[in-house]
């Protein structure tokens, strides 16, 4: 992609109405645009990151046999009355049609996936089933001042699994927990498996918490067991498993896994016929990952005073070529060669000072940088990683070797 054609805008100044580091940096670097508190547009750069994150999630979930679908976001009131959540779901956005019908703007999707699955699952032979989607959610959040960490509209991956009994749910939940760790690791984050309340059918639900001072949550972490307990449920000083002293950390919840038991199956009368011809309730689990929150968390963890430092796996581009325009045509040639194998952003702009190009490149945070400066007269360019301070002089013909 030529930077001269990329639709974006960067800002030297921090936005006055944002407190969080992720929103400040993502807005300044041209990834997102603020519409209102907790409501953002994603520009082409921002969408590239979202797509990368989503595809990592897809790859890992597909590997463990989950199937992707897409559920509606307009939920008839009756569905939410069946679970009793029309009145008690705190952050529910409600809307009315011209005909008087009322709807919820989906904050989560149990209310539509259970009725859907009820049409498909009849006997034990139809189980287990694991379905997920990557979709928009709406929540009327009161505290929407953490940028992408808490949106009123945000993207979530939600997975729902359906089983014959509680043991099968627990077994599958463990598999998802393992898969989540892989997903977060691939996204460049160390997410700590955290015991939390909210498990109706098991003692705990599991949260995945990324330690950072900007987090809203607090966890007690055991450095030895690499596990933690959410402060909301567990206020002890010592690890339940190994008795080591726990460390208090601020953190961001990027995902969670729940054993739902038969709660929603009962609400929607979701049953199956067992081997012995008996009717039994379906046992279920639900598993969320906040996709846009994850993007915000990555920025909170990976940045310096100059801007974002994207992990390679989720970066909008892999290579940023800064052409300082010392020799005509060379930048074009290097760019055209590298795009055969890499995602490249080529700063081909005329009449932009080198200083501005460097500053913008630091802000945007693409992992590898190739600077075509004065040394190009001797067929040399300067190369470095965004995360490194020092450049390395490389002959044009060795660029690929260096990248590999
Ligand atoms: P929180 O306690 O942070 O409000 P939650 O318990 O309401 O989260 P779930 O309803 O289980 O979260 O949603 C699953 C995932 O979606 C969360 O782990 C989080 O990563 C993400 N998430 C939840 N609410 C938001 C939001 N308002 N903005 C962005 N992501 C969110
Ligand atoms: Mg919430």
């Amino acid at each position: 992609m030529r930077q001269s054609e990329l639709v974006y805008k960067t800002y030297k100044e921090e936005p006055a109405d944002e407190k969080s580091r992720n929103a400040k940096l993502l807005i300044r670097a041209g990834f997102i645009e603020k519409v209102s508190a907790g409501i953002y547009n994603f520009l082409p750069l921002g969408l590239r990151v979202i797509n990368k994150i989503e595809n990592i999630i897809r790859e890992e979930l597909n590997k463990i046999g989950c199937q992707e679908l897409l559920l509606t976001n307009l939920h008839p009131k009756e569905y939410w009355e069946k679970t009793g959540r029309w009145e008690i779901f705190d952050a529910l956005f409600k809307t009315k049609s011209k005909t008087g019908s009322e709807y919820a703007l989906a904050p989560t999707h149990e209310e539509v996936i259970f009725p859907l699955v009820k049409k498909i699952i009849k006997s034990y032979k139809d189980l287990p089933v694991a379905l997920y989607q990557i979709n928009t959610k709406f929540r009327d959040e009161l505290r929407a001042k953490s940028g992408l960490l808490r949106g009123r509209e945000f993207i979530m991956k939600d997975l729902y699994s359906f089983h014959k009994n509680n043991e099968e749910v627990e077994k599958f939940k463990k598999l998802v927990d393992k898969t989540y760790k892989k997903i977060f690791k691939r996204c460049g984050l160390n997410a700590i498996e955290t015991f939390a309340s909210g498990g109706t059918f098991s003692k705990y639900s599991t949260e995945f918490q990324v330690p950072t001072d900007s987090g809203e949550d607090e966890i007690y972490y055991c450095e030895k067991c690499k596990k933690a307990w959410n402060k909301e449920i567990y206020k002890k000083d010592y690890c339940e498993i190994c008795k080591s002293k726990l460390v208090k950390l601020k953190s961001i919840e990027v995902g969670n896994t729940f054993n739902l038991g038969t709660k929603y199956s009962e609400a929607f009368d979701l049953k199956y016929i067992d081997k012995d011809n008996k009717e039994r309730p379906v046992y279920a689990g639900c598993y969320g990952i906040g996709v846009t929150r994850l993007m915000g968390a990555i920025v909170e963890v990976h940045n310096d005073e100059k801007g974002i430092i994207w992990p390679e796996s989720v970066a909008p581009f892999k290579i940023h070529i800064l052409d300082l325009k010392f020799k005509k045509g060379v930048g074009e040639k290097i760019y055209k060669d590298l795009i055969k194998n890499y995602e490249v952003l080529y700063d081909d702009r005329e009449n932009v000072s080198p200083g501005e190009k460097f500053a913008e490149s630091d802000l945007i945070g693409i992992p590898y940088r190739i600077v075509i400066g004065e040394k190009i007269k001797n067929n040399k360019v300067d190369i470095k990683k965004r995360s490194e301070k020092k450049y390395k002089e490389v002959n044009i013909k060795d660029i690929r070797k260096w990248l590999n």
Side-chain angles (χ1 to χ4, degrees):
M1 173 98 224
R2 288 164 193 283
Q3 208 163 330
S4 59
E5 290 168 7
L6 178 68
V7 180
Y8 77 111
K9 178 168 170 50
T10 57
Y11 299 87
K12 289 203 179 82
E13 302 297 324
E14 291 190 341
D17 57 344
E18 291 283 5
K19 287 196 177 67
S20 70
R21 186 120 183 93
N22 75 87
K24 282 180 187 169
L25 283 172
L26 287 166
I27 290 170
R28 284 188 56 215
F31 287 75
I32 62 172
E33 187 236 357
K34 185 179 191 171
V35 175
S36 172
I39 305 174
Y40 296 93
N41 287 318
F42 286 79
L43 279 76
L45 276 177
L47 184 60
R48 290 182 80 98
V49 176
I50 291 291
N51 287 339
K52 293 268 166 74
I53 295 172
E54 290 184 357
N55 285 335
I56 289 172
I57 295 174
R58 283 195 177 95
E59 272 179 36
E60 294 299 335
L61 291 184
N62 293 349
K63 264 191 229 166
I64 60 166
C66 305
Q67 290 180 48
E68 186 172 2
L69 47 44
L70 187 63
L71 302 167
T72 179
N73 276 325
L74 215 43
H75 295 183
K77 181 183 182 181
E78 303 77 71
Y79 286 64
W80 280 75
E81 281 177 331
K82 277 226 161 134
T83 58
R85 294 208 287 184
W86 179 260
E87 294 302 337
I88 61 164
F89 197 101
D90 193 34
L92 198 62
F93 271 117
K94 297 172 181 176
T95 186
K96 208 175 208 162
S97 117
K98 277 181 274 191
T99 62
S101 309
E102 289 183 84
Y103 300 89
L105 297 183
T108 177
H109 280 77
E110 285 84 3
E111 272 76 0
V112 297
I113 199 160
F114 276 79
L116 165 67
V117 163
K118 189 174 154 73
K119 293 179 182 162
I120 299 167
I121 294 169
K122 298 292 171 208
S123 100
Y124 69 95
K125 288 178 196 154
D126 303 322
L127 294 167
V129 166
L131 296 165
Y132 74 96
Q133 62 168 346
I134 298 176
N135 202 350
T136 299
K137 299 277 187 272
F138 300 91
R139 288 189 189 180
D140 199 355
E141 300 276 5
L142 279 183
R143 302 166 297 155
K145 52 180 176 8
S146 308
L148 293 191
L149 302 185
R150 189 168 294 284
R152 297 208 158 102
E153 180 184 333
F154 59 97
I155 302 173
M156 193 201 288
K157 181 289 299 168
D158 43 332
L159 163 68
Y160 305 87
S161 73
F162 303 89
H163 306 267
K164 294 198 287 289
N165 54 48
N166 194 52
E167 296 73 64
E168 281 185 19
V169 181
E170 282 296 314
K171 203 171 149 204
F172 187 73
K173 181 180 169 301
K174 283 211 178 81
L175 180 61
V176 175
D177 287 345
K178 218 166 112 190
T179 305
Y180 269 26
K181 278 213 191 126
K182 273 193 212 160
I183 290 171
F184 297 128
K185 197 164 175 207
R186 283 185 65 183
C187 291
L189 293 177
N190 163 35
I192 298 167
E193 213 175 318
T194 303
F195 297 103
S197 62
T200 3
F201 280 74
S202 48
K203 192 172 167 201
Y204 296 112
S205 70
T206 307
E207 294 174 347
F208 290 81
Q209 298 275 0
V210 174
T212 158
D213 285 340
S214 56
E216 282 180 8
D217 285 24
E218 261 182 34
I219 57 170
Y220 291 103
Y221 177 54
C222 174
E223 280 165 336
K224 205 166 147 205
C225 298
K226 310 267 182 249
K227 290 199 191 306
W229 285 263
N230 193 308
K231 192 185 158 203
E232 281 176 12
I233 59 150
Y234 191 89
K235 289 196 170 98
K236 282 185 192 140
D237 294 332
Y238 298 94
C239 175
E240 217 175 69
I241 303 162
C242 75
K243 312 292 173 212
S244 303
K245 191 148 174 34
L246 297 170
V247 189
K248 199 160 116 183
L249 300 172
K250 287 205 155 198
S251 59
I252 301 168
E253 181 198 318
V254 287
N256 57 32
T257 62
F258 282 94
N259 179 343
L260 294 172
T262 57
K263 184 174 165 191
Y264 293 95
S265 298
E266 275 163 31
F268 290 104
D269 197 29
L270 172 61
K271 291 179 184 141
Y272 71 98
I273 308 288
D274 206 350
K275 264 190 185 138
D276 46 23
N277 231 8
K278 272 204 190 107
E279 230 180 32
R280 295 183 194 279
V282 170
Y283 286 72
C286 76
Y287 321 84
I289 291 180
V291 174
T292 40
R293 180 182 287 187
L294 190 54
M295 177 172 168
I298 293 168
V299 175
E300 292 287 342
V301 172
H302 298 285
N303 71 74
D304 64 12
E305 67 291 347
K306 291 178 176 163
I308 305 168
I309 308 172
W310 292 107
E312 224 177 297
S313 55
V314 298
F317 293 92
K318 174 162 170 162
I319 302 167
H320 200 178
I321 301 176
L322 307 194
D323 190 346
L324 307 185
K325 301 281 170 182
F326 279 93
K327 194 169 163 189
K328 237 184 152 165
V330 200
E332 286 287 327
K333 222 175 134 199
I334 295 172
Y335 169 61
K336 281 189 180 142
D337 177 52
L338 290 181
I339 48 171
K340 287 181 211 152
N341 310 86
Y342 301 102
E343 291 178 294
V344 183
L345 181 63
Y346 171 37
D347 193 347
D348 58 336
R349 294 171 301 168
E350 307 281 350
N351 309 320
V352 177
S353 73
E356 251 175 280
K357 288 194 176 186
F358 282 113
E360 233 178 45
S361 183
D362 282 335
L363 188 56
I364 293 172
I366 294 167
Y368 296 89
R369 183 184 305 170
I370 300 174
V371 181
I372 309 173
E374 224 172 342
K375 294 173 194 160
I376 197 63
K377 290 166 188 160
N378 304 318
N379 292 323
K380 287 191 171 135
V381 295
D382 284 314
I383 295 192
K384 79 169 184 84
K385 285 191 187 175
R386 168 65 181 85
S387 57
E388 295 168 350
K389 289 249 176 320
K390 282 210 174 105
Y391 284 95
K392 198 173 179 295
E393 217 178 79
V394 174
N395 197 293
I396 299 181
K397 65 174 180 8
D398 296 327
I399 290 177
R400 277 177 173 274
K401 211 194 286 167
W402 187 84
L403 285 168
N404 292 332

